[in-house]
Amino acid sequence: RAVPPPSPPEVVAGIVNDGSAGRVAETAVRLARELGGRVRFVQVVPADFDDHERAEAEAVTFSAALHALRGSPHVQATFETPSGDPRNLLGHRSRLAVALVIGPDRPDADPAVAAYCQANSGCRVLVVPEGLVVPRDSGELRPTAELRPTAMNPLNQRAL
């Protein structure tokens, strides 16, 4: 009996309506490309969004994802737009992933998604700070502030 081939590693790009979609998408695609994996773009929207607001949020995510995927034709991607608490949804969606890539918590953030995910996620959590530049020509991440892969959760210390 043949053993099925292992599935490629998955990187989850956790998109929240906070202006970080582009940076998160670029970083997630870069990491997936380095790992020979795929990206799951998860745009969490509030439960009270109407159809129009949901469509606008999906358009922002899809646009950021397409821009990030340009130049990476071999990176597979899927898209989801669940509604509810982003902490629980991103934690659940990334439970089998090698990494969850998210933007930083804003000082007025309620709930604090990045802090929650770092403390509770079963995979490595990369918080992409404002000011991160992902140049198209070299393919290297050049942060103006460091990527913060460390957290309280010991699982976040796994090497990628």
Side-chain angles (χ1 to χ4, degrees):
R1 185 168 132 182
V3 176
S7 60
E10 182 173 72
V11 175
V12 173
I15 311 283
V16 189
N17 289 329
D18 64 359
S20 66
R23 293 186 320 274
V24 168
E26 293 274 349
T27 303
V29 167
R30 169 81 168 109
L31 182 57
R33 187 175 61 234
E34 288 176 0
L35 297 172
R38 62 180 181 230
V39 180
R40 180 192 295 201
F41 292 96
V42 180
Q43 163 74 64
V44 180
V45 296
D48 62 350
F49 264 25
D50 63 28
D51 290 343
H52 179 72
E53 291 168 314
R54 183 182 201 73
E56 284 182 354
E58 289 172 345
V60 167
T61 298
F62 195 66
S63 175
L66 286 180
H67 181 76
L69 288 164
R70 191 174 314 145
S72 298
H74 301 293
V75 175
Q76 297 176 349
T78 58
F79 299 85
E80 299 177 33
T81 310
S83 59
D85 184 334
R87 298 169 301 181
N88 294 331
L89 287 166
L90 291 174
H92 178 72
R93 296 299 198 280
S94 65
R95 71 190 181 286
L96 300 176
V98 295
L100 168 63
V101 180
I102 54 177
D105 289 326
R106 294 183 311 213
D108 62 341
D110 185 32
V113 177
Y116 178 88
C117 288
Q118 284 184 310
N120 297 289
S121 181
C123 69
R124 182 86 176 261
V125 175
L126 296 176
V127 177
V128 183
E130 291 185 36
L132 183 75
V133 178
V134 183
R136 287 254 166 229
D137 55 345
S138 70
E140 295 177 22
L141 293 176
R142 285 188 292 174
T144 56
E146 289 298 312
L147 273 176
R148 294 172 289 185
T150 59
M152 296 174 279
N153 183 349
L155 292 173
N156 285 324
Q157 305 306 315
R158 288 190 308 201
L160 291 177

PDB file of all heavy atoms in Angstrom, residues 5-44:
ATOM      1  N   PRO A   5       1.960  11.179  -0.324  1.00  0.00           N
ATOM      2  CA  PRO A   5       3.042  12.137  -0.092  1.00  0.00           C
ATOM      3  C   PRO A   5       2.631  13.137   0.991  1.00  0.00           C
ATOM      4  O   PRO A   5       1.447  13.438   1.144  1.00  0.00           O
ATOM      5  CB  PRO A   5       3.215  12.829  -1.443  1.00  0.00           C
ATOM      6  CG  PRO A   5       1.919  12.627  -2.144  1.00  0.00           C
ATOM      7  CD  PRO A   5       1.343  11.336  -1.621  1.00  0.00           C
ATOM      8  N   PRO A   6       3.607  13.628   1.746  1.00  0.00           N
ATOM      9  CA  PRO A   6       3.262  14.606   2.779  1.00  0.00           C
ATOM     10  C   PRO A   6       2.744  15.889   2.134  1.00  0.00           C
ATOM     11  O   PRO A   6       3.173  16.259   1.049  1.00  0.00           O
ATOM     12  CB  PRO A   6       4.585  14.849   3.505  1.00  0.00           C
ATOM     13  CG  PRO A   6       5.639  14.436   2.534  1.00  0.00           C
ATOM     14  CD  PRO A   6       5.035  13.378   1.665  1.00  0.00           C
ATOM     15  N   SER A   7       1.806  16.518   2.801  1.00  0.00           N
ATOM     16  CA  SER A   7       1.301  17.780   2.268  1.00  0.00           C
ATOM     17  C   SER A   7       2.330  18.872   2.522  1.00  0.00           C
ATOM     18  O   SER A   7       3.088  18.811   3.492  1.00  0.00           O
ATOM     19  CB  SER A   7      -0.043  18.129   2.906  1.00  0.00           C
ATOM     20  OG  SER A   7       0.103  18.244   4.295  1.00  0.00           O
ATOM     21  N   PRO A   8       2.370  19.872   1.647  1.00  0.00           N
ATOM     22  CA  PRO A   8       3.350  20.943   1.836  1.00  0.00           C
ATOM     23  C   PRO A   8       3.042  21.721   3.113  1.00  0.00           C
ATOM     24  O   PRO A   8       1.890  21.806   3.530  1.00  0.00           O
ATOM     25  CB  PRO A   8       3.186  21.815   0.597  1.00  0.00           C
ATOM     26  CG  PRO A   8       1.870  21.459   0.011  1.00  0.00           C
ATOM     27  CD  PRO A   8       1.538  20.078   0.484  1.00  0.00           C
ATOM     28  N   PRO A   9       4.077  22.278   3.744  1.00  0.00           N
ATOM     29  CA  PRO A   9       3.834  23.056   4.964  1.00  0.00           C
ATOM     30  C   PRO A   9       2.930  24.251   4.668  1.00  0.00           C
ATOM     31  O   PRO A   9       2.993  24.833   3.594  1.00  0.00           O
ATOM     32  CB  PRO A   9       5.225  23.502   5.399  1.00  0.00           C
ATOM     33  CG  PRO A   9       6.137  23.236   4.268  1.00  0.00           C
ATOM     34  CD  PRO A   9       5.474  22.273   3.353  1.00  0.00           C
ATOM     35  N   GLU A  10       2.101  24.562   5.643  1.00  0.00           N
ATOM     36  CA  GLU A  10       1.158  25.664   5.472  1.00  0.00           C
ATOM     37  C   GLU A  10       1.535  26.837   6.368  1.00  0.00           C
ATOM     38  O   GLU A  10       1.868  26.657   7.541  1.00  0.00           O
ATOM     39  CB  GLU A  10      -0.252  25.209   5.809  1.00  0.00           C
ATOM     40  CG  GLU A  10      -1.297  26.279   5.599  1.00  0.00           C
ATOM     41  CD  GLU A  10      -2.704  25.751   5.782  1.00  0.00           C
ATOM     42  OE1 GLU A  10      -3.077  25.485   6.939  1.00  0.00           O
ATOM     43  OE2 GLU A  10      -3.399  25.604   4.777  1.00  0.00           O
ATOM     44  N   VAL A  11       1.487  28.019   5.793  1.00  0.00           N
ATOM     45  CA  VAL A  11       1.676  29.267   6.522  1.00  0.00           C
ATOM     46  C   VAL A  11       0.334  29.982   6.495  1.00  0.00           C
ATOM     47  O   VAL A  11      -0.263  30.141   5.431  1.00  0.00           O
ATOM     48  CB  VAL A  11       2.764  30.146   5.861  1.00  0.00           C
ATOM     49  CG1 VAL A  11       2.857  31.504   6.552  1.00  0.00           C
ATOM     50  CG2 VAL A  11       4.106  29.433   5.866  1.00  0.00           C
ATOM     51  N   VAL A  12      -0.148  30.386   7.651  1.00  0.00           N
ATOM     52  CA  VAL A  12      -1.417  31.112   7.724  1.00  0.00           C
ATOM     53  C   VAL A  12      -1.123  32.604   7.819  1.00  0.00           C
ATOM     54  O   VAL A  12      -0.341  33.038   8.671  1.00  0.00           O
ATOM     55  CB  VAL A  12      -2.259  30.660   8.939  1.00  0.00           C
ATOM     56  CG1 VAL A  12      -3.506  31.536   9.103  1.00  0.00           C
ATOM     57  CG2 VAL A  12      -2.646  29.197   8.799  1.00  0.00           C
ATOM     58  N   ALA A  13      -1.727  33.363   6.905  1.00  0.00           N
ATOM     59  CA  ALA A  13      -1.640  34.826   6.943  1.00  0.00           C
ATOM     60  C   ALA A  13      -2.910  35.315   7.617  1.00  0.00           C
ATOM     61  O   ALA A  13      -3.994  35.271   7.032  1.00  0.00           O
ATOM     62  CB  ALA A  13      -1.525  35.392   5.538  1.00  0.00           C
ATOM     63  N   GLY A  14      -2.794  35.732   8.868  1.00  0.00           N
ATOM     64  CA  GLY A  14      -3.947  36.199   9.636  1.00  0.00           C
ATOM     65  C   GLY A  14      -4.185  37.668   9.371  1.00  0.00           C
ATOM     66  O   GLY A  14      -3.425  38.523   9.817  1.00  0.00           O
ATOM     67  N   ILE A  15      -5.238  37.960   8.630  1.00  0.00           N
ATOM     68  CA  ILE A  15      -5.547  39.336   8.236  1.00  0.00           C
ATOM     69  C   ILE A  15      -6.698  39.841   9.090  1.00  0.00           C
ATOM     70  O   ILE A  15      -7.755  39.216   9.166  1.00  0.00           O
ATOM     71  CB  ILE A  15      -5.950  39.405   6.748  1.00  0.00           C
ATOM     72  CG1 ILE A  15      -4.968  38.657   5.847  1.00  0.00           C
ATOM     73  CG2 ILE A  15      -6.161  40.841   6.309  1.00  0.00           C
ATOM     74  CD1 ILE A  15      -3.683  39.332   5.555  1.00  0.00           C
ATOM     75  N   VAL A  16      -6.466  40.966   9.727  1.00  0.00           N
ATOM     76  CA  VAL A  16      -7.494  41.629  10.523  1.00  0.00           C
ATOM     77  C   VAL A  16      -7.614  43.038   9.944  1.00  0.00           C
ATOM     78  O   VAL A  16      -6.671  43.551   9.354  1.00  0.00           O
ATOM     79  CB  VAL A  16      -7.094  41.681  12.018  1.00  0.00           C
ATOM     80  CG1 VAL A  16      -8.243  42.178  12.884  1.00  0.00           C
ATOM     81  CG2 VAL A  16      -6.648  40.319  12.508  1.00  0.00           C
ATOM     82  N   ASN A  17      -8.741  43.661  10.077  1.00  0.00           N
ATOM     83  CA  ASN A  17      -8.944  45.004   9.503  1.00  0.00           C
ATOM     84  C   ASN A  17      -8.180  46.063  10.290  1.00  0.00           C
ATOM     85  O   ASN A  17      -8.755  46.870  10.992  1.00  0.00           O
ATOM     86  CB  ASN A  17     -10.439  45.347   9.477  1.00  0.00           C
ATOM     87  CG  ASN A  17     -11.190  44.545   8.465  1.00  0.00           C
ATOM     88  OD1 ASN A  17     -10.646  44.172   7.442  1.00  0.00           O
ATOM     89  ND2 ASN A  17     -12.448  44.270   8.742  1.00  0.00           N
ATOM     90  N   ASP A  18      -6.842  46.036  10.153  1.00  0.00           N
ATOM     91  CA  ASP A  18      -6.028  46.989  10.908  1.00  0.00           C
ATOM     92  C   ASP A  18      -4.963  47.670  10.050  1.00  0.00           C
ATOM     93  O   ASP A  18      -4.068  48.312  10.569  1.00  0.00           O
ATOM     94  CB  ASP A  18      -5.368  46.288  12.100  1.00  0.00           C
ATOM     95  CG  ASP A  18      -4.389  45.210  11.681  1.00  0.00           C
ATOM     96  OD1 ASP A  18      -4.223  44.971  10.469  1.00  0.00           O
ATOM     97  OD2 ASP A  18      -3.783  44.592  12.576  1.00  0.00           O
ATOM     98  N   GLY A  19      -5.018  47.502   8.732  1.00  0.00           N
ATOM     99  CA  GLY A  19      -4.056  48.153   7.849  1.00  0.00           C
ATOM    100  C   GLY A  19      -2.788  47.361   7.597  1.00  0.00           C
ATOM    101  O   GLY A  19      -1.897  47.826   6.893  1.00  0.00           O
ATOM    102  N   SER A  20      -2.658  46.170   8.158  1.00  0.00           N
ATOM    103  CA  SER A  20      -1.420  45.389   8.008  1.00  0.00           C
ATOM    104  C   SER A  20      -1.504  44.322   6.924  1.00  0.00           C
ATOM    105  O   SER A  20      -0.580  43.532   6.767  1.00  0.00           O
ATOM    106  CB  SER A  20      -1.052  44.732   9.347  1.00  0.00           C
ATOM    107  OG  SER A  20      -2.021  43.761   9.702  1.00  0.00           O
ATOM    108  N   ALA A  21      -2.580  44.278   6.150  1.00  0.00           N
ATOM    109  CA  ALA A  21      -2.795  43.193   5.186  1.00  0.00           C
ATOM    110  C   ALA A  21      -1.631  43.019   4.222  1.00  0.00           C
ATOM    111  O   ALA A  21      -1.188  41.893   3.970  1.00  0.00           O
ATOM    112  CB  ALA A  21      -4.096  43.419   4.415  1.00  0.00           C
ATOM    113  N   GLY A  22      -1.124  44.096   3.669  1.00  0.00           N
ATOM    114  CA  GLY A  22      -0.029  44.001   2.705  1.00  0.00           C
ATOM    115  C   GLY A  22       1.235  43.414   3.300  1.00  0.00           C
ATOM    116  O   GLY A  22       1.847  42.505   2.723  1.00  0.00           O
ATOM    117  N   ARG A  23       1.635  43.916   4.460  1.00  0.00           N
ATOM    118  CA  ARG A  23       2.857  43.420   5.120  1.00  0.00           C
ATOM    119  C   ARG A  23       2.707  41.962   5.523  1.00  0.00           C
ATOM    120  O   ARG A  23       3.633  41.166   5.376  1.00  0.00           O
ATOM    121  CB  ARG A  23       3.169  44.262   6.364  1.00  0.00           C
ATOM    122  CG  ARG A  23       3.563  45.678   6.070  1.00  0.00           C
ATOM    123  CD  ARG A  23       4.014  46.429   7.321  1.00  0.00           C
ATOM    124  NE  ARG A  23       3.257  46.167   8.530  1.00  0.00           N
ATOM    125  CZ  ARG A  23       2.142  46.798   8.890  1.00  0.00           C
ATOM    126  NH1 ARG A  23       1.629  47.716   8.122  1.00  0.00           N
ATOM    127  NH2 ARG A  23       1.548  46.509  10.032  1.00  0.00           N
ATOM    128  N   VAL A  24       1.556  41.611   6.048  1.00  0.00           N
ATOM    129  CA  VAL A  24       1.313  40.233   6.485  1.00  0.00           C
ATOM    130  C   VAL A  24       1.326  39.300   5.278  1.00  0.00           C
ATOM    131  O   VAL A  24       1.964  38.242   5.297  1.00  0.00           O
ATOM    132  CB  VAL A  24      -0.014  40.127   7.264  1.00  0.00           C
ATOM    133  CG1 VAL A  24      -0.423  38.678   7.476  1.00  0.00           C
ATOM    134  CG2 VAL A  24       0.111  40.845   8.606  1.00  0.00           C
ATOM    135  N   ALA A  25       0.648  39.684   4.206  1.00  0.00           N
ATOM    136  CA  ALA A  25       0.594  38.847   3.004  1.00  0.00           C
ATOM    137  C   ALA A  25       1.986  38.655   2.410  1.00  0.00           C
ATOM    138  O   ALA A  25       2.379  37.533   2.060  1.00  0.00           O
ATOM    139  CB  ALA A  25      -0.354  39.467   1.975  1.00  0.00           C
ATOM    140  N   GLU A  26       2.747  39.723   2.272  1.00  0.00           N
ATOM    141  CA  GLU A  26       4.105  39.640   1.710  1.00  0.00           C
ATOM    142  C   GLU A  26       4.986  38.705   2.545  1.00  0.00           C
ATOM    143  O   GLU A  26       5.711  37.880   2.003  1.00  0.00           O
ATOM    144  CB  GLU A  26       4.760  41.028   1.647  1.00  0.00           C
ATOM    145  CG  GLU A  26       4.122  41.969   0.667  1.00  0.00           C
ATOM    146  CD  GLU A  26       4.669  41.824  -0.742  1.00  0.00           C
ATOM    147  OE1 GLU A  26       5.690  41.139  -0.932  1.00  0.00           O
ATOM    148  OE2 GLU A  26       4.053  42.386  -1.653  1.00  0.00           O
ATOM    149  N   THR A  27       4.938  38.847   3.844  1.00  0.00           N
ATOM    150  CA  THR A  27       5.766  38.030   4.730  1.00  0.00           C
ATOM    151  C   THR A  27       5.341  36.565   4.680  1.00  0.00           C
ATOM    152  O   THR A  27       6.181  35.663   4.633  1.00  0.00           O
ATOM    153  CB  THR A  27       5.707  38.567   6.176  1.00  0.00           C
ATOM    154  OG1 THR A  27       6.120  39.933   6.169  1.00  0.00           O
ATOM    155  CG2 THR A  27       6.617  37.773   7.090  1.00  0.00           C
ATOM    156  N   ALA A  28       4.038  36.306   4.681  1.00  0.00           N
ATOM    157  CA  ALA A  28       3.541  34.935   4.639  1.00  0.00           C
ATOM    158  C   ALA A  28       3.933  34.245   3.327  1.00  0.00           C
ATOM    159  O   ALA A  28       4.361  33.086   3.331  1.00  0.00           O
ATOM    160  CB  ALA A  28       2.032  34.913   4.825  1.00  0.00           C
ATOM    161  N   VAL A  29       3.808  34.953   2.208  1.00  0.00           N
ATOM    162  CA  VAL A  29       4.177  34.371   0.912  1.00  0.00           C
ATOM    163  C   VAL A  29       5.672  34.108   0.864  1.00  0.00           C
ATOM    164  O   VAL A  29       6.112  33.052   0.403  1.00  0.00           O
ATOM    165  CB  VAL A  29       3.723  35.285  -0.253  1.00  0.00           C
ATOM    166  CG1 VAL A  29       4.364  34.862  -1.569  1.00  0.00           C
ATOM    167  CG2 VAL A  29       2.206  35.276  -0.363  1.00  0.00           C
ATOM    168  N   ARG A  30       6.459  35.038   1.356  1.00  0.00           N
ATOM    169  CA  ARG A  30       7.929  34.864   1.373  1.00  0.00           C
ATOM    170  C   ARG A  30       8.296  33.619   2.183  1.00  0.00           C
ATOM    171  O   ARG A  30       9.111  32.798   1.760  1.00  0.00           O
ATOM    172  CB  ARG A  30       8.585  36.106   1.968  1.00  0.00           C
ATOM    173  CG  ARG A  30      10.047  35.972   2.274  1.00  0.00           C
ATOM    174  CD  ARG A  30      10.871  36.182   1.017  1.00  0.00           C
ATOM    175  NE  ARG A  30      12.259  36.341   1.381  1.00  0.00           N
ATOM    176  CZ  ARG A  30      13.180  35.418   1.133  1.00  0.00           C
ATOM    177  NH1 ARG A  30      12.872  34.308   0.540  1.00  0.00           N
ATOM    178  NH2 ARG A  30      14.418  35.630   1.484  1.00  0.00           N
ATOM    179  N   LEU A  31       7.700  33.456   3.351  1.00  0.00           N
ATOM    180  CA  LEU A  31       7.995  32.314   4.208  1.00  0.00           C
ATOM    181  C   LEU A  31       7.541  31.009   3.543  1.00  0.00           C
ATOM    182  O   LEU A  31       8.278  30.019   3.543  1.00  0.00           O
ATOM    183  CB  LEU A  31       7.322  32.490   5.569  1.00  0.00           C
ATOM    184  CG  LEU A  31       7.560  31.399   6.599  1.00  0.00           C
ATOM    185  CD1 LEU A  31       9.057  31.217   6.871  1.00  0.00           C
ATOM    186  CD2 LEU A  31       6.828  31.744   7.892  1.00  0.00           C
ATOM    187  N   ALA A  32       6.355  31.012   2.971  1.00  0.00           N
ATOM    188  CA  ALA A  32       5.856  29.810   2.286  1.00  0.00           C
ATOM    189  C   ALA A  32       6.778  29.434   1.123  1.00  0.00           C
ATOM    190  O   ALA A  32       7.070  28.254   0.911  1.00  0.00           O
ATOM    191  CB  ALA A  32       4.436  30.035   1.785  1.00  0.00           C
ATOM    192  N   ARG A  33       7.232  30.426   0.393  1.00  0.00           N
ATOM    193  CA  ARG A  33       8.150  30.161  -0.732  1.00  0.00           C
ATOM    194  C   ARG A  33       9.446  29.533  -0.225  1.00  0.00           C
ATOM    195  O   ARG A  33       9.937  28.561  -0.784  1.00  0.00           O
ATOM    196  CB  ARG A  33       8.420  31.448  -1.502  1.00  0.00           C
ATOM    197  CG  ARG A  33       9.232  31.217  -2.774  1.00  0.00           C
ATOM    198  CD  ARG A  33       9.389  32.473  -3.607  1.00  0.00           C
ATOM    199  NE  ARG A  33      10.084  33.510  -2.875  1.00  0.00           N
ATOM    200  CZ  ARG A  33       9.618  34.745  -2.696  1.00  0.00           C
ATOM    201  NH1 ARG A  33       8.456  35.103  -3.204  1.00  0.00           N
ATOM    202  NH2 ARG A  33      10.311  35.635  -2.020  1.00  0.00           N
ATOM    203  N   GLU A  34       9.996  30.064   0.862  1.00  0.00           N
ATOM    204  CA  GLU A  34      11.231  29.523   1.435  1.00  0.00           C
ATOM    205  C   GLU A  34      11.055  28.090   1.918  1.00  0.00           C
ATOM    206  O   GLU A  34      11.972  27.282   1.820  1.00  0.00           O
ATOM    207  CB  GLU A  34      11.709  30.390   2.604  1.00  0.00           C
ATOM    208  CG  GLU A  34      12.266  31.718   2.199  1.00  0.00           C
ATOM    209  CD  GLU A  34      12.642  32.580   3.400  1.00  0.00           C
ATOM    210  OE1 GLU A  34      12.460  32.120   4.552  1.00  0.00           O
ATOM    211  OE2 GLU A  34      13.102  33.706   3.176  1.00  0.00           O
ATOM    212  N   LEU A  35       9.868  27.772   2.429  1.00  0.00           N
ATOM    213  CA  LEU A  35       9.602  26.443   2.982  1.00  0.00           C
ATOM    214  C   LEU A  35       9.055  25.463   1.947  1.00  0.00           C
ATOM    215  O   LEU A  35       8.843  24.295   2.259  1.00  0.00           O
ATOM    216  CB  LEU A  35       8.601  26.549   4.137  1.00  0.00           C
ATOM    217  CG  LEU A  35       9.063  27.346   5.351  1.00  0.00           C
ATOM    218  CD1 LEU A  35       7.912  27.523   6.327  1.00  0.00           C
ATOM    219  CD2 LEU A  35      10.245  26.672   6.016  1.00  0.00           C
ATOM    220  N   GLY A  36       8.806  25.941   0.734  1.00  0.00           N
ATOM    221  CA  GLY A  36       8.192  25.082  -0.272  1.00  0.00           C
ATOM    222  C   GLY A  36       6.755  24.761   0.085  1.00  0.00           C
ATOM    223  O   GLY A  36       6.259  23.678  -0.200  1.00  0.00           O
ATOM    224  N   GLY A  37       6.087  25.712   0.719  1.00  0.00           N
ATOM    225  CA  GLY A  37       4.736  25.467   1.218  1.00  0.00           C
ATOM    226  C   GLY A  37       3.673  26.277   0.533  1.00  0.00           C
ATOM    227  O   GLY A  37       3.848  26.780  -0.582  1.00  0.00           O
ATOM    228  N   ARG A  38       2.558  26.400   1.207  1.00  0.00           N
ATOM    229  CA  ARG A  38       1.407  27.128   0.690  1.00  0.00           C
ATOM    230  C   ARG A  38       0.945  28.131   1.746  1.00  0.00           C
ATOM    231  O   ARG A  38       1.335  28.055   2.907  1.00  0.00           O
ATOM    232  CB  ARG A  38       0.284  26.164   0.347  1.00  0.00           C
ATOM    233  CG  ARG A  38      -0.216  25.395   1.546  1.00  0.00           C
ATOM    234  CD  ARG A  38      -1.330  24.440   1.180  1.00  0.00           C
ATOM    235  NE  ARG A  38      -1.769  23.770   2.383  1.00  0.00           N
ATOM    236  CZ  ARG A  38      -1.908  22.471   2.498  1.00  0.00           C
ATOM    237  NH1 ARG A  38      -1.669  21.689   1.478  1.00  0.00           N
ATOM    238  NH2 ARG A  38      -2.325  21.941   3.619  1.00  0.00           N
ATOM    239  N   VAL A  39       0.096  29.059   1.320  1.00  0.00           N
ATOM    240  CA  VAL A  39      -0.424  30.088   2.222  1.00  0.00           C
ATOM    241  C   VAL A  39      -1.931  29.966   2.317  1.00  0.00           C
ATOM    242  O   VAL A  39      -2.623  29.793   1.320  1.00  0.00           O
ATOM    243  CB  VAL A  39      -0.083  31.517   1.731  1.00  0.00           C
ATOM    244  CG1 VAL A  39      -0.634  32.561   2.686  1.00  0.00           C
ATOM    245  CG2 VAL A  39       1.409  31.697   1.568  1.00  0.00           C
ATOM    246  N   ARG A  40      -2.424  30.057   3.537  1.00  0.00           N
ATOM    247  CA  ARG A  40      -3.865  30.155   3.775  1.00  0.00           C
ATOM    248  C   ARG A  40      -4.111  31.573   4.276  1.00  0.00           C
ATOM    249  O   ARG A  40      -3.692  31.953   5.368  1.00  0.00           O
ATOM    250  CB  ARG A  40      -4.320  29.161   4.839  1.00  0.00           C
ATOM    251  CG  ARG A  40      -5.823  29.258   5.104  1.00  0.00           C
ATOM    252  CD  ARG A  40      -6.258  28.507   6.327  1.00  0.00           C
ATOM    253  NE  ARG A  40      -6.042  27.071   6.170  1.00  0.00           N
ATOM    254  CZ  ARG A  40      -6.688  26.156   6.891  1.00  0.00           C
ATOM    255  NH1 ARG A  40      -7.561  26.525   7.807  1.00  0.00           N
ATOM    256  NH2 ARG A  40      -6.435  24.889   6.717  1.00  0.00           N
ATOM    257  N   PHE A  41      -4.782  32.379   3.450  1.00  0.00           N
ATOM    258  CA  PHE A  41      -5.128  33.743   3.834  1.00  0.00           C
ATOM    259  C   PHE A  41      -6.450  33.690   4.583  1.00  0.00           C
ATOM    260  O   PHE A  41      -7.465  33.260   4.032  1.00  0.00           O
ATOM    261  CB  PHE A  41      -5.262  34.642   2.595  1.00  0.00           C
ATOM    262  CG  PHE A  41      -3.958  34.880   1.891  1.00  0.00           C
ATOM    263  CD1 PHE A  41      -3.601  34.096   0.809  1.00  0.00           C
ATOM    264  CD2 PHE A  41      -3.096  35.871   2.312  1.00  0.00           C
ATOM    265  CE1 PHE A  41      -2.397  34.299   0.153  1.00  0.00           C
ATOM    266  CE2 PHE A  41      -1.887  36.077   1.664  1.00  0.00           C
ATOM    267  CZ  PHE A  41      -1.536  35.290   0.578  1.00  0.00           C
ATOM    268  N   VAL A  42      -6.419  34.120   5.839  1.00  0.00           N
ATOM    269  CA  VAL A  42      -7.618  34.100   6.671  1.00  0.00           C
ATOM    270  C   VAL A  42      -7.923  35.529   7.091  1.00  0.00           C
ATOM    271  O   VAL A  42      -7.194  36.127   7.885  1.00  0.00           O
ATOM    272  CB  VAL A  42      -7.441  33.194   7.918  1.00  0.00           C
ATOM    273  CG1 VAL A  42      -8.715  33.193   8.754  1.00  0.00           C
ATOM    274  CG2 VAL A  42      -7.053  31.780   7.515  1.00  0.00           C
ATOM    275  N   GLN A  43      -8.988  36.094   6.517  1.00  0.00           N
ATOM    276  CA  GLN A  43      -9.451  37.442   6.841  1.00  0.00           C
ATOM    277  C   GLN A  43     -10.600  37.307   7.822  1.00  0.00           C
ATOM    278  O   GLN A  43     -11.683  36.855   7.456  1.00  0.00           O
ATOM    279  CB  GLN A  43      -9.926  38.142   5.574  1.00  0.00           C
ATOM    280  CG  GLN A  43     -10.797  39.363   5.812  1.00  0.00           C
ATOM    281  CD  GLN A  43     -10.022  40.564   6.291  1.00  0.00           C
ATOM    282  OE1 GLN A  43      -9.188  41.074   5.572  1.00  0.00           O
ATOM    283  NE2 GLN A  43     -10.283  41.025   7.498  1.00  0.00           N
ATOM    284  N   VAL A  44     -10.353  37.650   9.078  1.00  0.00           N
ATOM    285  CA  VAL A  44     -11.405  37.547  10.096  1.00  0.00           C
ATOM    286  C   VAL A  44     -12.192  38.857  10.122  1.00  0.00           C
ATOM    287  O   VAL A  44     -11.606  39.930  10.230  1.00  0.00           O
ATOM    288  CB  VAL A  44     -10.807  37.251  11.486  1.00  0.00           C
ATOM    289  CG1 VAL A  44     -11.913  37.138  12.522  1.00  0.00           C
ATOM    290  CG2 VAL A  44      -9.963  35.992  11.450  1.00  0.00           C
TER     291      VAL A  44
END
